[in-house]
Amino acid sequence: MSRMDAKSPQHCAKKGFHIRKRYKKLLYTLCTILLSVISIAFIIYFILRPSKPEFSLKEIDINQLNLSSSPQLVNSSVELTLLSKNPNQRVGIYYDELNIYASYKNQQITVPTSLPPFYQGHGDNNLLTASLVGTGLPVAPSFGYEVKRDQTVGKLVLYLKGNGHLRWKIVSWVSGKYRFNVNCAAVLPFGPSIPSGPISSKQGTQCSTTV
Ligand SMILES: *[C@@H]1O[C@H](CO)[C@@H](O)[C@H](O)[C@H]1NC(C)=O
Ligand SMILES: *[C@@H]1O[C@H](CO)[C@@H](O)[C@H](O)[C@H]1NC(C)=O
């Protein structure tokens, strides 16, 4: 387009009209996209937002808990059974990853154990068992003293901590991965026979879950 053409008032009016039309179209498109995004967000919020999975501790056995002095290293062996429940009636859960370790006195006493991935249907329950082991894990200098104190009192509190990734399944749609954490506390009797004898305890404690 030449400058002469652009200067003509008639052309200018026509061009302005075209631009306004194009802006209108653009605005319309933007509004549509915005509305779609808002609708999708609402759908996700109201329908797709599932309740978090539930876990409870069924049984726990401490088969070994030995401590060496200077440096303080712990050997441990813990077996546990967890009940996993999907509270959603319309949403399935893919557990792609779940690692569990045991913690005692704020010290990690086993390495994380990975549970095999599994799918949990609507409202389903699954029993999960895991064998946790720690060999020569370093602990704080106060650990030995605190263990002895628990032994005197006759009980100990062991935490089982899990973390992993899950995906929600709604009809045939599968969500992206969400990180989740599980935290269970178990109170166990702790007699003077330890570490020569295992501690076994049936539990029914509900674990806390965050997604
Ligand atoms: C822990 O296990 C290692 C390897 O089996 C062993 O050498 C060490 O003595 C054990 N420590 C204790 C405190 O039992
Ligand atoms: C470690 O614990 C086991 C069982 O709890 C026991 O048989 C063993 O003697 C302990 N080992 C040491 C080095 O204390």
Side-chain angles (χ1 to χ4, degrees):
M1 206 183 279
S2 75
R3 287 189 71 164
M4 281 295 277
D5 274 344
K7 265 183 183 164
S8 133
Q10 232 178 346
H11 256 103
C12 273
K14 215 172 180 185
K15 202 171 153 201
F17 176 70
H18 272 302
I19 287 169
R20 223 178 295 141
K21 206 171 165 189
R22 207 177 290 166
Y23 271 131
K24 241 184 191 168
K25 219 173 187 175
L26 190 69
L27 206 69
Y28 181 76
T29 312
L30 280 179
C31 279
T32 312
I33 291 170
L34 201 70
L35 269 178
S36 309
V37 168
I38 290 172
S39 319
I40 289 168
F42 265 98
I43 289 169
I44 289 171
Y45 190 77
F46 285 109
I47 303 166
L48 308 188
R49 195 185 66 163
S51 301
K52 54 194 180 184
E54 292 166 8
F55 291 88
S56 57
L57 200 55
K58 284 287 135 195
E59 191 175 341
I60 180 153
D61 303 286
I62 301 180
N63 297 318
Q64 194 195 1
L65 184 65
N66 305 24
L67 190 68
S68 69
S69 45
S70 58
Q72 292 221 33
L73 301 173
V74 69
N75 285 0
S76 67
S77 161
V78 177
E79 279 184 45
L80 67 120
T81 307
L82 277 176
L83 178 69
S84 160
K85 184 178 192 302
N86 176 6
N88 299 288
Q89 293 310 313
R90 282 195 201 92
V91 182
I93 305 174
Y94 285 104
Y95 295 91
D96 291 325
E97 197 191 329
L98 178 54
N99 307 304
I100 301 181
Y101 67 88
S103 165
Y104 176 40
K105 297 286 171 197
N106 276 325
Q107 310 281 318
Q108 189 176 334
I109 60 160
T110 73
V111 292
T113 292
S114 291
L115 299 187
F118 66 103
Y119 173 73
Q120 194 168 48
H122 309 167
D124 279 359
N125 291 314
N126 291 78
L127 276 178
L128 313 174
T129 55
S131 198
L132 314 177
V133 178
T135 307
L137 290 185
V139 286
S142 61
F143 188 80
Y145 167 75
E146 295 195 48
V147 171
K148 283 219 175 67
R149 207 170 51 181
D150 272 2
Q151 217 159 356
T152 311
V153 172
K155 68 179 180 192
L156 66 87
V157 183
L158 191 74
Y159 289 93
L160 297 143
K161 292 170 186 271
N163 60 72
H165 290 104
L166 59 77
R167 284 171 300 153
W168 310 108
K169 182 172 187 273
I170 297 133
V171 194
S172 58
W173 180 80
V174 178
S175 77
K177 287 191 176 191
Y178 287 87
R179 209 186 142 73
F180 74 103
N181 291 293
V182 186
N183 196 3
C184 315
V187 180
L188 294 141
F190 194 11
S193 59
I194 296 296
S196 46
I199 323 175
S200 178
S201 174
K202 292 252 186 291
Q203 305 269 327
T205 22
Q206 192 73 30
C207 309
S208 66
T209 315
T210 55
V211 179

